[in-house]
Amino acid sequence: MKPLDDIDRRILLELQRDGRLSNQDLADRVGLSPSPCLRRVRMLEEAGVITGYRAVVDQDAVGLAITAFARLTLESHGREIVDRVEAEIRKIPEVVEAYLLAGDQDYLLKITVASFASYEQLLRTSLRAIPSLSSIQTTFAFGVTKPISPLPIPATPTTR
């Protein structure tokens, strides 16, 4: 794929703000006519720059009042163990994001549950069942100070 230009960056910014924009509205916002705008969006999708579209759901509105961040440390880091750990993490629906870390801990999990009791149950039945764990440290979030935001797409091309 060719490097992103200013119009591609504007398209990405607008779609991150509102993925439900009609092609006409998107074209108007980025200064293109509809056909070239649609071609660019399809090119960004095919190149894997745009990986999908989804609704952002208010977790409180659906009864998921608790956000926890669990930091996992493994006893062993062999390839088989890491593959099994990651497979187990992906199976837990309450884990909405998971990151492999550098540093003292190995994984950071963002978890959403209905209550502290729900988290305790998840800890007992799912998290502690993850193979080769040496520790789990949990921090609970009281609120969101910055919600999901558009990526700050750099003005200069970067390599992938």
Side-chain angles (χ1 to χ4, degrees):
M1 182 184 153
K2 68 175 182 62
L4 298 177
D5 63 18
D6 288 338
I7 293 174
D8 293 329
R9 287 185 194 87
R10 289 198 317 259
I11 288 171
L12 293 172
L13 181 62
E14 293 299 335
L15 287 176
Q16 286 183 94
R17 288 180 178 156
D18 183 357
R20 294 187 69 181
L21 279 175
S22 70
N23 184 58
Q24 180 66 58
D25 289 339
L26 179 60
D28 291 345
R29 289 185 188 190
V30 301
L32 288 177
S33 60
S35 292
C37 183
L38 185 57
R39 275 195 300 277
R40 282 180 179 253
V41 170
R42 287 191 176 143
M43 180 190 67
L44 292 165
E45 292 169 346
E46 290 168 8
V49 176
I50 296 174
T51 59
Y53 300 87
R54 62 183 57 112
V56 178
V57 177
D58 181 292
Q59 71 184 68
D60 289 328
V62 294
L64 298 170
I66 305 295
T67 299
F69 293 93
R71 294 170 307 284
L72 311 181
T73 304
L74 302 181
E75 292 174 351
S76 166
H77 297 86
R79 183 180 204 76
E80 252 182 53
I81 293 291
V82 169
D83 289 346
R84 283 182 49 215
V85 166
E86 291 179 2
E88 289 303 313
I89 289 170
R90 284 190 288 273
K91 289 180 189 176
I92 304 169
E94 295 86 353
V95 175
V96 295
E97 294 180 50
Y99 298 92
L100 176 64
L101 303 176
D104 294 337
Q105 286 94 26
D106 296 303
Y107 293 93
L108 174 66
L109 311 181
K110 181 180 178 185
I111 299 167
T112 58
V113 291
S115 65
F116 289 111
S118 299
Y119 182 78
E120 180 183 10
Q121 184 65 25
L122 178 76
L123 181 65
R124 289 175 185 268
T125 61
S126 298
L127 295 179
R128 288 186 181 152
I130 294 173
S132 193
L133 277 186
S134 69
S135 72
I136 302 171
Q137 297 175 334
T138 303
T139 303
F140 294 97
F142 289 126
V144 177
T145 58
K146 183 177 181 183
I148 296 171
S149 301
L151 292 175
I153 300 166
T156 56
T158 60
T159 56
R160 271 181 115 187

